[in-house]
Amino acid sequence: MDELISELSLEEKVSLLGGQDFWSLPEIARIGLRSLVMSDGPVGVRGTGWAPEDPSVALPSPTALAATWDPELVERAGRLLGQESRRKGVHLLLAPTVNLHRTPLNGRHFECFSEDPLLTGEIAAAFVTGVQSLGVGTTVKHLVGNDFETERMTVDVRISERALREVYLPPFERVVRAGGWGVMSAYNGVNGSPMSSHAELQQRVLKDEWGFDGIVVSDWRAARDTVGAALGGLDIAMPAMQNPWGEALVEAVRAGLVPEEEIDAKVRRVLRLAARVGALGPPPSGEWPELDGSAVAHEVAARSFVLVRNEDFTLPLEPAALTRVAVIGALALDARVLGGGSATVTPPHVISPLEGIGRSLSGVDVAYATGADPRPFLPPARGPEWTGLRVDLAGKYDFAVGEAALRWIGDLPGRLDPADVDGLTIAGTFTPAVDGEHVFAVSGFGTFVLTVGEREVYRGALHAEGTERGELLLSPREHRAAVTLAAGVPVEVILTQIIPAGMAHTVSTTLGHRPPGPDAAEMITEAAALAAGSDVAIVVVGTTEQVESEGFDRTSLALPGTQDELVRRVAAANPRTVVVVNAGAPVLLPWADDVAAVVLTWFPGQEAGAALADVLLGVLEPGGRLPTTWPRRAEDCPVLDVTPQGGVVSYDEGVFVGYRAWQRASREPHYAFGHGLGYTTWSYEALRVVDGTAEITVTNTGAREGREVIQVYVRPAAPDDERPAEWLAGFATVTAHPDESVTARVDLPERTFQTWADGGWHTVAGDYEIVAAHALDDPRLVVSLTVGA
Ligand code: BGC
């Protein structure tokens, strides 16, 4: 490696430390180095463009991955993403996200795993091992303290050293010790220093203490200080735009502000990564059995669904006993399968709950009612009334689309040069099924002209000129126009967008449509009537892209729109009401005790409806357990304020995060950490601790094969104010047939009994209770253990 480095000029070396565009590093053919390509992210591999012509398998959201409590399955999900990366020419995947669920208000809650550092670390390590087994790198992100979005580029997060070591850093440490090849540093600062220049955490802790030998890449446009970042442990600044290195870093080295050995050390890391991922020297070799993306997405989804309530075994439903099933909710037809922001991909297909249930219940009348539509923007034009939907990019490239929504950052469809694209057109023929007032909508940025038939119904721009790019992307706007149309008479609908110079690499444009229909009150009445005449009512409720997304935090935990009212009315009309919650993060379920069953499905990925049908009908067991406490009332949440004061957010609660805080405050959540029901029952028979390993024997006492997540918690026998009342020490998943007993082993390493004080780890000697539990609030067996100093 050092020989290669010695062949490079200072300019060449520095060029390898910064993006040449949005997603890649430059090649240096002379030394056999190819361009190293990066791509988001946590649920799928987008590739360098977001083009609909190049879809990506969309797995369930990270909250769902964590809800499986199944590292083996998550590793397989990681292997699938490794496979997708290789297919798309991606060397470095910008995932997983291991910031913690400190508060459900975090807009990116769905993109993080859990409120518990151990569960987060185990799931993340499995993900990384899976991806990297195919010779594709990962970047565990965002180091550290990026647990909310408000003022994320500038906020300084104050975290005590103990909380950093015991709560926020362990997932990163776990991944580094599992062999992760990359870390992404966060936008925010920690204790006074921006993370991309944080020498203490990035150099001293990450690299020197943990022995991390991979690269630290900045979050996109996070690095702003040439010398500070160079001396602060950062290796790669991304992307090319507004990059503080390049020329400026060469000058800083020449001026003696940054030693050239520092540059060499970074280049060594970049080349080491390049060699690992096949961008330098031979490509990674090995036999990788091809995974079926849909099958993996389906399995993870079903395993992640958390059945939080199931009165009188309402679920699973018995198909033979059903004549008519009501499926209700806008999200039943248009499931929200992933969260907003950089984790977005375009899946090849999405199976909606209605489609999945309909397919699995042939011979049963599956009837649909919207009931409530929480989406603030109209859905994109699509479906049988639309024919010939096409997109034309400045007359240079055109392609068909299934729905009238476009979204990309970076590469353009057809690999067009953004400089050559000053506009686009989405057009199609619309033949209304019904007479009346059809509403069309435009959203995106730039200037638009919308025509319906002969009529121009909109001409204008939705944002003020000069609005910042990030805000354009993350705070979209919409304009609506109503047009009266006759059923069966086709009209041409054309949306033309004029794109400002230099902006074509970032597009997010939708032509929306809503047919004439009932108002909000009428929709609920219609749904309740349908439910009353059905054997069972399945209501799908959830959040929208305007509620859960990167770029902003949530302002409420309530379900948006009239969904609560819808559930109450449907449940009043039919006692067999099953509510399916389609949200990546906790939402309030004020009616939950009045419905027959509640299933949390997170953002379930592209196979959403198929997995849901399997779980509702008992083909598969809902395998999930809560990775995070679900509140009954927002005001009970330990942290409900993420607004910086004078640019600062202080994590005053220290190590009391998630259930540790709920317990300290003696508050009852709606559903405890670890909660989740299956379709069988379990008896916990025996627990003993042998040589630092807990051995737990359980028996399946129900009538069908099942899967149990055995959770092991540790409690100090003499509680004190300094430490949480208990914490997760480990877990194991087992499967067993009826009457079968199985024994699981869970290691209790030294760290379980340690705290961080005076710059080091210290074992807290004394008596502990080791608890084998079905959930935090459902302990089954307890043994005592004395730990020596
Ligand atoms: C996000 C990162 C992401 C990057 C590139 C940033 O805004 O915070 O998580 O990897 O964009 O898309």
Side-chain angles (χ1 to χ4, degrees):
M1 214 60 91
D2 285 354
E3 219 166 276
L4 289 185
I5 296 174
S6 67
E7 286 176 33
L8 299 174
S9 67
L10 177 62
E11 283 78 2
E12 282 174 319
K13 288 191 280 194
V14 166
S15 77
L16 292 179
L17 308 180
Q20 61 174 351
D21 50 27
F22 236 85
W23 304 114
S24 69
L25 301 183
E27 67 164 12
I28 301 186
R30 187 158 53 77
I31 61 163
L33 177 69
R34 294 175 287 281
S35 169
L36 192 142
V37 178
M38 316 178 189
S39 171
D40 290 303
V43 301
V45 185
R46 196 167 55 238
T48 52
W50 296 37
E53 54 185 0
D54 182 21
S56 319
V57 176
L59 292 173
S61 56
T63 36
L65 289 183
T68 68
W69 292 62
D70 190 339
E72 189 273 327
L73 180 61
V74 173
E75 186 180 331
R76 187 136 38 92
R79 285 212 300 279
L80 175 75
L81 297 186
Q83 177 179 305
E84 284 280 280
S85 301
R86 295 179 70 83
R87 180 174 72 77
K88 291 200 167 216
V90 168
H91 302 104
L92 187 65
L93 188 65
L94 306 174
T97 308
V98 299
N99 298 114
L100 285 193
H101 291 166
R102 176 175 175 261
T103 165
L105 291 184
N106 179 13
R108 290 179 96 166
H109 188 104
F110 70 87
E111 205 187 308
C112 311
F113 293 126
S114 167
E115 68 189 12
D116 183 82
L118 181 119
L119 179 60
T120 299
E122 293 306 309
I123 296 296
F127 181 101
V128 163
T129 306
V131 175
Q132 293 191 173
S133 69
L134 273 88
V136 172
T138 54
T139 57
V140 59
K141 64 189 186 184
H142 312 80
L143 183 75
V144 61
N146 185 185
D147 313 290
F148 58 96
E149 290 293 279
T150 309
E151 297 180 21
R152 66 172 174 165
M153 305 287 270
T154 52
V155 66
D156 187 45
V157 182
R158 304 275 162 86
I159 318 179
S160 71
E161 200 183 329
R162 177 168 171 228
L164 271 174
R165 291 295 189 149
E166 293 186 22
V167 180
Y168 295 98
L169 289 176
F172 292 95
E173 184 178 2
R174 176 73 181 84
V175 166
V176 167
R177 299 206 190 273
W181 295 339
V183 171
M184 185 188 290
S185 65
Y187 285 122
N188 53 278
V190 170
N191 298 335
S193 164
M195 274 311 304
S196 43
S197 306
H198 211 299
E200 169 63 19
L201 289 174
Q202 301 193 135
Q203 183 62 48
R204 214 190 60 66
V205 175
L206 174 68
K207 292 181 175 175
D208 301 345
E209 187 184 316
W210 298 347
F212 176 63
D213 70 356
I215 54 93
V216 180
V217 61
S218 71
D219 200 342
W220 267 229
R221 291 184 299 124
R224 276 156 282 180
D225 171 357
T226 305
V227 174
L231 299 178
L234 192 75
D235 300 307
I236 301 174
M238 288 298 288
M241 281 161 60
Q242 296 168 26
N243 194 302
W245 284 356
E247 240 343 71
L249 184 53
V250 171
E251 274 166 32
V253 175
R254 297 243 152 86
L257 299 172
V258 176
E260 191 158 350
E261 300 80 72
E262 192 61 59
I263 304 298
D264 290 353
K266 297 181 197 305
V267 172
R268 196 170 297 117
R269 285 171 183 270
V270 171
L271 294 182
R272 186 183 297 128
L273 174 69
R276 283 171 165 165
V277 300
L280 177 67
S285 57
E287 289 287 308
W288 295 291
E290 171 97 4
L291 291 170
D292 175 343
S294 293
V296 175
H298 187 128
E299 186 175 354
V300 173
R303 286 273 196 93
S304 75
F305 293 173
V306 183
L307 181 60
V308 290
R309 179 180 170 83
N310 194 17
E311 284 303 282
D312 302 326
F313 278 92
T314 302
L315 295 179
L317 300 171
E318 178 54 62
L322 300 171
T323 315
R324 186 170 208 220
V325 172
V327 178
I328 295 167
L331 300 178
L333 195 60
D334 187 16
R336 190 149 155 62
V337 300
L338 39 73
S342 61
T344 305
V345 297
T346 306
H349 60 253
V350 169
I351 302 178
S352 71
L354 181 62
E355 186 182 348
I357 293 166
R359 273 197 216 164
S360 299
L361 281 178
S362 58
V364 176
D365 176 15
V366 176
Y368 174 74
T370 306
D373 188 346
R375 296 166 299 184
F377 287 9
L378 296 190
R382 65 176 160 225
E385 294 166 291
W386 292 87
T387 47
L389 267 178
R390 293 194 77 76
V391 174
D392 178 280
L393 290 188
K396 299 190 169 75
Y397 184 71
D398 78 299
F399 53 99
V401 285
E403 60 173 34
L406 296 175
R407 207 173 156 96
W408 63 76
I409 296 184
D411 287 0
L412 272 63
R415 301 266 158 189
L416 293 184
D417 183 342
D420 294 341
V421 176
D422 55 6
L424 62 84
T425 303
I426 306 179
T429 306
F430 177 61
T431 311
V434 288
D435 285 331
E437 200 171 80
H438 288 259
V439 181
F440 296 87
V442 179
S443 73
F445 31 88
T447 308
F448 295 93
V449 181
L450 175 63
T451 58
V452 177
E454 300 296 304
R455 285 181 56 192
E456 179 180 302
V457 298
Y458 179 64
R459 178 182 285 269
L462 299 166
H463 297 85
E465 212 174 303
T467 306
E468 211 257 327
R469 247 173 52 92
E471 167 155 4
L472 286 177
L473 254 186
L474 295 167
S475 312
R477 297 185 184 168
E478 185 191 54
H479 178 87
R480 295 182 183 186
V483 185
T484 302
L485 297 173
V489 180
V491 284
E492 286 305 304
V493 180
I494 303 171
L495 174 64
T496 307
Q497 176 179 6
I498 299 153
I499 300 175
M503 286 294 290
H505 46 64
T506 307
V507 160
S508 174
T509 302
T510 302
L511 161 62
H513 169 250
R514 186 180 67 201
D519 66 19
E522 288 162 351
M523 280 199 283
I524 292 183
T525 303
E526 218 175 72
L530 176 66
S534 304
D535 302 314
V536 58
I538 300 166
V539 190
V540 183
V541 295
T543 57
T544 69
E545 187 160 357
Q546 287 67 39
V547 174
E548 283 190 76
S549 173
E550 177 180 335
F552 49 86
D553 289 313
R554 297 166 72 189
T555 51
S556 163
L557 301 186
L559 286 169
T562 52
Q563 297 182 100
D564 286 333
E565 172 65 9
L566 170 69
V567 175
R568 285 200 185 95
R569 292 273 300 280
V570 169
N574 188 332
R576 290 188 81 205
T577 291
V578 175
V579 182
V580 175
V581 181
N582 178 190
V587 288
L588 304 178
L589 311 174
W591 32 258
D593 300 345
D594 306 322
V595 301
V598 180
V599 194
L600 314 181
T601 62
W602 316 106
F603 293 138
Q606 65 182 47
E607 304 301 317
L612 179 66
D614 278 353
V615 164
L616 295 180
L617 300 175
V619 178
L620 297 171
E621 194 183 30
R625 304 290 186 267
L626 285 179
T628 286
T629 310
W630 273 50
R632 190 180 282 278
R633 308 177 315 162
E635 56 272 31
D636 291 341
C637 290
V639 178
L640 255 200
D641 185 6
V642 285
T643 307
Q645 300 300 324
V648 169
V649 166
S650 282
Y651 287 10
D652 292 329
E653 71 286 351
V655 299
F656 293 88
V657 176
Y659 61 85
R660 294 157 164 87
W662 284 86
Q663 287 186 327
R664 183 168 66 156
S666 303
R667 286 195 194 132
E668 282 268 310
H670 204 160
Y671 303 115
F673 179 80
H675 174 66
L677 308 167
Y679 288 158
T680 185
T681 50
W682 296 88
S683 156
Y684 280 60
E685 312 283 355
L687 163 67
R688 52 186 204 142
V689 179
V690 185
D691 296 337
T693 299
E695 293 182 0
I696 311 100
T697 302
V698 295
T699 303
N700 180 348
T701 51
R704 58 177 280 165
E705 188 187 344
R707 178 173 169 278
E708 176 71 342
V709 178
I710 298 169
Q711 303 164 29
V712 177
Y713 296 91
V714 166
R715 303 174 183 151
D720 57 56
D721 292 343
E722 291 295 302
R723 286 193 297 168
E726 61 190 303
W727 54 90
L728 183 72
F731 56 93
T733 57
V734 296
T735 52
H737 297 290
D739 294 328
E740 190 187 355
S741 296
V742 281
T743 297
R745 287 179 180 77
V746 173
D747 283 339
L748 303 174
E750 215 180 345
R751 187 69 72 79
T752 310
F753 306 99
Q754 291 184 320
T755 62
W756 181 269
D758 307 324
W761 290 106
H762 298 278
T763 300
V764 182
D767 294 335
Y768 289 86
E769 288 178 347
I770 309 296
V771 185
H774 173 80
L776 183 70
D777 66 346
D778 188 2
R780 300 289 179 88
L781 295 169
V782 181
V783 294
S784 299
L785 182 76
T786 303
V787 173

